[in-house]
Amino acid sequence: MAVQAVAGATPEPAARPEAVAARRSWFAGLRSAKTITGLAILGVFVVAGAFGPMVWRTDPSALSDDVLQPPSGAHWFGTTQTGQDIFAQVLVGTRVSLLVGVTAAVMATVLSLIVGLTAGYVGGLTDELLSALANVFLVIPALPLVVVLAGYLPTRGSLTVAVVISLTGWSWGARILRAQTLSIRRRDFIEAARATGERPARILLFEILPNEMAIVASSFLFTIVFAILTQAGLAFLGLSDVTTWSWGGILYWAQNNQALQSGAWWWFVPPGLCIALIGTALAFVNFGIDEYVNPRLRVRGFHPRKSRRVRRTAPKQVVQDAGAAGDVLLEVTGLRVDYGDGPNAVHAVDGVDLVLRRGEVLGVAGESGSGKSTLAYAITRLLRPPGQVVAGEIRYWPTSAGPVDVLKMSDAELRAFRWAQLAIVFQSAMNSLNPVLRLREQLGDALIDHGPGMTPGQRQKRIAEVMTMVGLPTDRADAYPHELSGGMRQRALIAMALVLEPDILVLDEPTTALDVVVQRQILTKIMNLREQLGFAVVFITHDLSLLIEVADRIAVMYAGRIIETSTAKQLYEAPRHPYSDGLLHSFPLLHGPRRVLTGIPGAPPDLRLRSAGCAFQPRCTQAMAACTTTIPLLSATNLPTEAPDHQVACLLYQDGEGR
Amino acid sequence: MTTQSDQPVLEARDLIKHFPVHRLRRRLRGRAEVVHAVDDVTLTLRSGEVTALVGESGSGKSTIARLLAGLYPVTSGTIEIDGATARGTRGRHFREHVRRVQLVFQDPFGSLNPIHTIAYHLRRPLKVHGYPTTRAALVELLEQVNLTPAEQFLTKFPHELSGGQLQRIAIARALAAKPKVLLADEPVSMLDVSIRLGILNLLAGLVKSLDLAMLYITHDIASARYFASTTLVMYAGRVIEGGPSEELVQQPAHPYTRLLLESAPDPDRAGTGPDLLDAGEPPSLVDPPAGCRFHPRCPHAMDICRTEAPGTTELRPGHWTKCWLYSASTEPVPAR
C-alpha cells in the first residue's frame, strides 16, 4: 500500500521532461537540412566575395587576346569579347552585389523597424501619418522610382545605389511590422508588463521586438534579395557605374555585346546563376530562423514515449448485444483515436465503450486533454489528420433497420447520415457559421441537400418553423452572423442542427463561451425541444455541475478513457472513482455550508507522456503500488447491485486488488 | 500580521469610463458615440479581505480592474490608495501606483511573454520597483505560490508549463512589487476545473498571510460565495447590489441578482431549473436603456424604472441594492 503523498499543500509538480530538451535544442533550427544548405551556399558566396579577388589575382578589367573563349583551365568561366576574365569579374561582382545587398537591407530594415514599431505602438495620428507614408512608397513601383532617383544622383557608386534601394525597400517591412506590433500590443503580456510598471521604451524593445524577430529577420533576408536584384537591374540598364564590376554589370556588357546571339552562354549564365543561387540560399536560411527565434518551436516533434509493456486487469469485456434491447441508438465499442503515427502517436481516445439510448441525455465530462472533444469528432467522423481512428466500432441503430457502422460508411452514406440522423453543435458559434451567408441561406442549405422533394415555399416554411422553435425571431432570417448576439448565434446553430429532425444531437461545449443567463436559456431550450422531438443528446463539457443537472447518464473521461459511468444522480451522490469524487469537490456550491474545498492536486495529464499504470495515479490520494503498473478497465465489479449502470475503472473496486 | 481593516486601502468613487466608438462612424453620424463601459461605480477594498465583483461578460467588470490598476485613464471619478489620490497612467506617478496595486490576468497562457524565461518575468518587477533581484528573491517568490522545487522553474519558458503553473507564476509576478492591493481578473476561468480551487485557495492564503486587499472578478457567483467576504454584482456597467457574500447569495434583492443565481449551475436542483427563456440579453452599452439598465428584462419593471436610475437602498447593514422595488419604502418583493 504505497500511498502517494500528494494531498495537502498542493505543491505543483515540477515541469515536464521535454523542458530539458528545449535548451539543448537551441540550435535545432540550424540542424535542418534546408538551413544548412542555405548557410553553406551563403558561406561560399561570402568567402568568394571577401577573399576571391585576393586569391584569383587576374584583373577583371584587363584586356587580353583570348577573345570569347569558353570556360577552360586558365579562364574558369571563359572570357568576354575583349578577352576579360569572367571568373574574376564574377568574384568582384559577388563582393559588390553582397555589399550593396547587405547595406541596403540593413538601412531598409532599420527604417522599417523605426516606422513600423512607432506606428504600431504609438497609434493614433502618428500611426495614420506613418502608415500613409509607407503606403505611398508601397504603391510606387520600385524599379521606375529607382531609375528616376538613380538618374538624378550626382554619383553612382555602390553606396549611393544601396541608399536608393533601401529607400524603396523599407515600406513592405514597415507595413508588416506595424501590423504585427498592433496585434502584439493588444496581447495580455504587454498589458501585464505595463501593469508591472515597465516603461514604454522597454516594452517596445524587450517585450514586443523580440516577438517580431522572425519577421524582422525574414524581411531583412528578402530585402537583401530585393536589393541584389534591383542592383542587378540598375546595372543591367546601365544606370549604375558600369565600370564597377557587379553581377548586373556583367550582364550589361554581355547584353551590349550580343553574347546571347553569339552563343557565349558562359558570359551571362554565371552572374544569372549567382543571383538565383543567393536568392535560394537566403530563402532556405529563412526557414531556420523561425525555429531559432521562437522558443516554442525549438522543441521539435513529440517527446519519445517510453514503451513499457502494460498489464491490463481483465480480458476485454464481451460487449453484450445491447441493440437487441431495442432502445440503443448509438453504440461505441473499443474506440481508439491516435494523433500521429508510430511510437510517437498520442492516444487521445484509448479504448472507449459508450452506449447512447433513444431520447436520453448522455453527458461526457472531462478536462483538457481528456479526449472528450476527440470522441465527439470521431463519432461524427469529422476527425482530421493527424487524428485517426485506429480501432473500434461506432454502431448506429436506425429505428427500422439493423445497425450500421458509422466508421465504415461511404462518403455518400456519411453525408446522408450526418445532419439528417446526427447533428453536431460546436462551442464557437461564430466559427461554425459562414460569415458571408444570411441565416436563411445557411438553414436552407441543409434542406436543399437532404430534402430534395421540397419546394422553395416548403423550405421557407420549415426555416421559419425551426427558428421559432429555438426562440429566434423569424425576422432575423435575413441577418448575417455578425449581426447576431452570441446567444442568438448559438440558437441559430441549434436551429441548423435540428432542421432535419436528427435522432442524435452532439453538443460540444455548446454554451461555454456564453454568459450564465444565456447559457441557461439555451440549455432549457434544448431540453424542452428534446422532450418535444425525442432526439438523444450527447453533451460534452468540462462543467460537471451543469451535467449533473441536465444529463440522464454521465461518463467521466480522463486521459482518453472513461473512468466512471453512471446515472447523474448516482454519480453526484456516490461517486466511486477518486477523480470523479475530486471533480465533484472542485466547484463551490450555492447552498449548504461553506467548507474548504481542495480540488485535485497536480495538473491534468500530458498525453504525450504516457504512464504505464492508471493515468490518474500521480494525482490520486488513494493510489496503491499496483496503480503504477496496471491500467484498470471499466467494470461493475464490487459495486452495489442496485446500480447496474454504475461502472468504474479503478483498482479500488476490482477483485483481488485493493479495497 | 493582523491589521485593523476598518480603514480602506483602496477607495474608488463614482468611477466612470466611456470608450469612444470608432472615429469614422462618429464623424458620419455627426455626434460623439461612446460605450458606457462603467458608470458611477463606487467600491472600497480593505486589507485582509476579498471583495468579489460578479458580472457577465460586457458588464464592465474587467474595465474596472484596468481602471484600478491604472492601465486606463478614468473618464471621471477618483481612485484613492491609503487616502492619496492616484493620478496618471504613465510616468512616475503611474509606477508609484502600480507598486501598490497589481493585477493578475485571466489568461495565464497569454499574460506571459513567450520569449522570456520565468526568471525574467519575476526579475523585471523586482527591478522596476527597486527591490534586489537575487536568485534567492526569485526563489522566495516562487515558494510563495507553492511552486517547488523553485529552482527548476526559473530557467523555463512559459510554453513548458501547465496552465495552473503559469497562473501561479503570474501571481508571483504580481506579488514581486509587494503590493497592498491585488486585483484578480477571472484568475481561474481559463483553468481546468480540478485545479481551480488550488489557485483560489492559494490566493485566499496570500490575502491572509500578506494582508492584501483583494478584488476577485468573476462570472461565477458560487465561487464568489466560497471565496469572498463581500460580493458586488455588476450589470451593464453599474454595480446594482452589494453585501456580505453569504447573505447576498441566500437573500438576493435585485431581480438581476436573482436571475443570475437561478441561472447558475446547481447540481442540487432537479430537472432543468427554472424557465428563463424570456429573460432576454444584456443591452448595448453604446445606447444603454434609460433609467434602470435592467428594466427591459425585469419582470417587476415599473414606469419609474424606465425613466430614472434608482439610488442606493440599504436593506440590512452592509447589504444594499439599486432598485426601485426597495427604494420607496414599499414592502420588499419576497425572495423566491
Side-chain angles (χ1 to χ4, degrees), chain B residues 52-299:
Chain B
L53 187 60
V54 179
E56 299 182 75
S57 55
S59 64
K61 55 190 198 304
S62 289
T63 306
I64 289 191
R66 281 157 178 76
L67 291 177
L68 297 183
L71 292 176
Y72 298 163
V74 295
T75 304
S76 80
T78 55
I79 298 168
E80 285 182 6
I81 315 275
D82 283 335
T85 308
R87 17 179 207 161
T89 52
R90 54 182 59 194
R92 193 163 51 82
H93 292 300
F94 170 68
R95 263 187 302 286
E96 203 100 307
H97 180 74
V98 297
R99 175 162 36 233
R100 283 175 284 183
V101 182
Q102 279 288 311
L103 175 63
V104 174
F105 289 78
Q106 173 176 15
D107 180 6
F109 299 97
S111 65
L112 297 171
N113 196 333
I115 54 137
H116 290 312
T117 60
I118 302 309
Y120 178 90
H121 281 102
L122 298 178
R123 209 183 300 120
R124 285 309 302 166
L126 288 172
K127 196 157 180 73
V128 167
H129 298 291
Y131 299 112
T133 57
T134 58
R135 203 172 173 81
L138 304 185
V139 168
E140 193 194 323
L141 280 174
L142 288 172
E143 281 170 355
Q144 238 172 6
V145 295
N146 291 340
L147 285 174
T148 48
E151 296 278 344
Q152 283 196 20
F153 288 93
L154 287 176
T155 51
K156 297 212 185 313
F157 287 96
H159 74 272
E160 297 171 67
L161 303 180
S162 70
Q165 289 169 334
L166 290 176
Q167 197 59 303
R168 283 167 197 263
I169 302 283
I171 293 169
R173 171 173 61 182
L175 294 178
K178 304 198 177 25
K180 293 184 153 188
V181 179
L182 192 62
L183 311 166
D185 185 7
E186 301 244 26
V188 296
S189 68
M190 300 283 282
L191 303 176
D192 273 311
V193 181
S194 70
I195 55 175
R196 288 182 185 175
L197 278 166
I199 300 287
L200 283 187
N201 290 340
L202 168 73
L203 287 171
L206 291 169
V207 166
K208 288 280 166 277
S209 65
L210 303 174
D211 206 28
L212 294 168
M214 182 159 155
L215 183 68
Y216 171 60
I217 292 168
T218 183
H219 66 275
D220 177 10
I221 197 163
S223 74
R225 173 189 181 240
Y226 172 75
F227 183 45
S229 50
T230 310
T231 295
L232 306 170
V233 181
M234 246 190 128
Y235 182 76
R238 289 192 173 140
V239 178
I240 50 97
E241 184 167 0
S245 302
E246 183 67 17
E247 189 182 316
L248 188 127
V249 168
Q250 305 311 336
Q251 293 169 278
H254 198 284
Y256 174 68
T257 314
R258 287 192 221 160
L259 177 68
L260 200 61
L261 281 162
E262 283 165 11
S263 306
D266 184 356
D268 292 316
R269 183 162 43 208
T272 54
D275 194 353
L276 299 167
L277 290 182
D278 303 321
E281 290 182 21
S284 149
L285 292 179
V286 176
D287 190 14
C292 170
R293 288 186 181 169
F294 188 59
H295 84 253
R297 301 170 74 187
C298 184

